[in-house]
């Protein structure tokens, strides 16, 4: 284990991120609202990049372009944050790097916030799918990739399950990359695995996995697949790379998710980082994380 990885794990424990999520949903949302008020939906592009803004479903969408012309290929970037946070500085850096190093334009939708009145995860699926639909006006489906981290990974899976419910589904993109999808456990076996992994996880408590349904459904009777994405229609999916850390509670749903892919006949590749934590491929300054980051860049360049 590298020194920087040891330091990162120590820092995450010191910051008590896990403890901040081990509390009632109302308290978690209050903390998020305070944090969101300090963040802006904007980013500083890297050298040679420029940022454009557009609107889809009355929501902002950032587009990071390389140079003065539109790229042939594009990336739909879905950030994490429990379906209720603004894009973090870490993911801003990751999105610009993915675009720069892969030569793709990057579209980042500011999807609705489930803390707002009347907003459930259904509206999030609708908005990100509409963003993808708009992208098809400018890029061929086979030239579009989708990447999501944590809640964004759930949206990446769920948007195509939602697509499968439409009378005329949109064509699938070439590639989907999901890191630590926030799947709500569907079986008792998954809940047992959550408990087993709880002590290893330095970021997410077992209690949050149990309570997240409340925050994304608000008591509305939604189809089960909208919150338990492992139970949805995973047919006609793009080739999907699935990343988990070995030491995160969300790994509990890994077997159920991959089995669902196999039953649907959809192709995937599973990557499990030994000794790694939640969304580790989004970090570049740690050697073990950078290896996964660079691997993803390779897939995006293909």
């Amino acid at each position: 284990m590298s020194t920087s990885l040891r330091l990162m794990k120590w820092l995450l424990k010191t910051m008590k991120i896990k403890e901040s999520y081990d509390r009632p949903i109302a308290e978690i949302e209050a903390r998020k609202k305070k944090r969101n008020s300090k963040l802006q939906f904007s980013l500083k592009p890297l050298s040679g990049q420029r940022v454009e803004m557009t609107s889809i479903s009355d929501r902002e969408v950032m587009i990071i372009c390389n140079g003065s012309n539109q790229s042939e290929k594009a990336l739909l970037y879905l950030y994490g944050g429990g379906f209720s946070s603004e894009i973090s500085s870490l993911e801003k850096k990751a999105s610009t790097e993915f675009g720069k190093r892969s030569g793709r334009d990057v579209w980042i939708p500011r999807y609705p916030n489930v803390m707002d009145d009347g907003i459930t995860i259904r509206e999030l699926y609708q908005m990100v799918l509409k963003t993808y639909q708009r992208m098809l006006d400018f890029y061929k489906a086979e030239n579009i990739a989708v990447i999501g981290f944590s809640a964004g990974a759930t949206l990446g899976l769920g948007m195509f399950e939602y697509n499968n419910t439409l009378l005329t589904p949109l064509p699938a993109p070439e590639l989907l990359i999901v890191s630590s999808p926030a799947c709500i456990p569907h079986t008792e076996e998954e809940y047992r695995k959550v408990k087993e992994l709880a002590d290893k996880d330095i970021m997410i408590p077992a209690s949050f996995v149990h309570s997240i349904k409340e925050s994304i459904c608000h008591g509305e009777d939604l189809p089960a697949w909208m919150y338990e994405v492992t139970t949805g229609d995973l047919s006609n999916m793009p080739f999907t790379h699935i990343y988990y850390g070995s030491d995160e509670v969300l790994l509990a749903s890994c077997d159920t998710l991959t089995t669902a892919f196999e039953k649907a006949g959809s192709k995937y590749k599973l990557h499990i980082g030994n000794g790694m934590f939640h969304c580790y491929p989004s970090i570049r300054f740690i050697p073990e994380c950078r290896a996964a980051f660079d691997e993803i860049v390779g897939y995006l360049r293909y």
Side-chain angles (χ1 to χ4, degrees), residues 94-136:
S95 62
T96 54
E97 284 286 348
F98 282 135
K100 180 80 170 181
R101 295 180 60 187
S102 68
R104 292 176 181 262
D105 295 336
V106 183
W107 290 53
I108 309 174
R110 189 184 192 183
Y111 54 79
N113 189 320
V114 294
M115 290 190 294
D116 294 339
D117 290 340
I119 300 297
T120 69
I121 196 169
R122 176 185 53 228
E123 286 70 40
L124 277 63
Y125 289 141
Q126 292 172 339
M127 193 269 165
V128 296
L129 188 62
K130 286 182 179 179
T131 302
Y132 174 65
Q133 184 176 30
R134 178 75 64 84
M135 293 174 73
L136 290 172

Side-chain angles (χ1 to χ4, degrees), residues 29-276:
E29 291 186 347
R31 291 169 65 93
K32 282 191 174 184
K33 287 179 180 179
K34 184 176 180 180
R35 178 177 176 271
N36 284 347
S37 67
K38 300 177 182 179
L39 299 174
Q40 293 184 334
F41 189 69
S42 63
L43 54 76
K44 182 179 180 180
L46 298 175
S47 176
Q49 292 181 328
R50 58 187 172 84
V51 175
E52 298 179 357
M53 298 295 292
T54 189
S55 177
I56 296 174
S57 298
D58 296 322
R59 302 290 302 180
E60 297 169 286
V61 177
M62 278 191 291
I63 306 173
I64 308 169
C65 302
N66 296 295
S68 58
N69 298 319
Q70 176 184 302
S71 298
E72 181 181 345
K73 293 192 173 187
L75 173 65
L76 174 57
Y77 189 100
L78 304 174
Y79 54 90
F83 312 100
S84 56
S85 294
E86 295 287 1
I87 183 171
S88 68
S89 58
L90 178 65
E91 291 208 67
K92 289 178 182 180
K93 292 179 181 178
S95 62
T96 54
E97 284 286 348
F98 282 135
K100 180 80 170 181
R101 295 180 60 187
S102 68
R104 292 176 181 262
D105 295 336
V106 183
W107 290 53
I108 309 174
R110 189 184 192 183
Y111 54 79
N113 189 320
V114 294
M115 290 190 294
D116 294 339
D117 290 340
I119 300 297
T120 69
I121 196 169
R122 176 185 53 228
E123 286 70 40
L124 277 63
Y125 289 141
Q126 292 172 339
M127 193 269 165
V128 296
L129 188 62
K130 286 182 179 179
T131 302
Y132 174 65
Q133 184 176 30
R134 178 75 64 84
M135 293 174 73
L136 290 172
D137 293 337
F138 302 95
Y139 314 91
K140 296 179 180 179
E142 59 267 27
N143 287 337
I144 299 176
V146 179
I147 187 168
F149 289 92
S150 190
T154 305
L155 294 178
L157 293 166
M159 66 182 281
F160 294 112
E161 294 180 327
Y162 188 90
N163 186 51
N164 282 334
T165 69
L166 303 180
L167 291 177
T168 306
L170 301 173
E174 64 166 336
L175 184 67
L176 172 62
I177 301 170
V178 293
S179 176
S180 302
C183 299
I184 295 176
H186 174 61
T187 67
E188 289 301 320
E189 174 67 11
E190 287 177 81
Y191 279 115
R192 183 186 65 77
K193 290 180 179 179
V194 167
K195 293 179 181 179
E196 290 179 353
L197 292 162
D199 289 341
K200 292 183 178 181
D201 198 317
I202 57 178
M203 295 182 69
I204 302 176
S207 60
F208 186 70
V209 178
H210 288 262
S211 63
I212 193 172
K213 179 181 175 182
E214 177 187 344
S215 66
I216 64 177
C217 296
H218 296 304
E220 189 171 338
D221 186 19
L222 298 175
W225 65 263
M226 285 193 175
Y227 50 88
E228 295 174 346
V229 292
T230 57
T231 66
D233 181 2
L234 288 169
S235 62
N236 305 311
M237 294 290 287
F239 187 93
T240 303
H241 290 276
I242 304 170
Y243 284 83
Y244 283 105
S246 68
D247 296 354
E248 63 171 319
V249 293
L250 295 178
L251 180 65
S253 296
C254 177
D255 289 344
T256 307
L257 179 60
T258 55
T259 298
F261 264 85
E262 291 165 5
K263 287 183 177 179
S266 293
K267 295 182 179 180
Y268 72 93
K269 184 175 181 179
L270 178 63
H271 312 257
I272 299 180
N274 186 35
M276 303 307 290

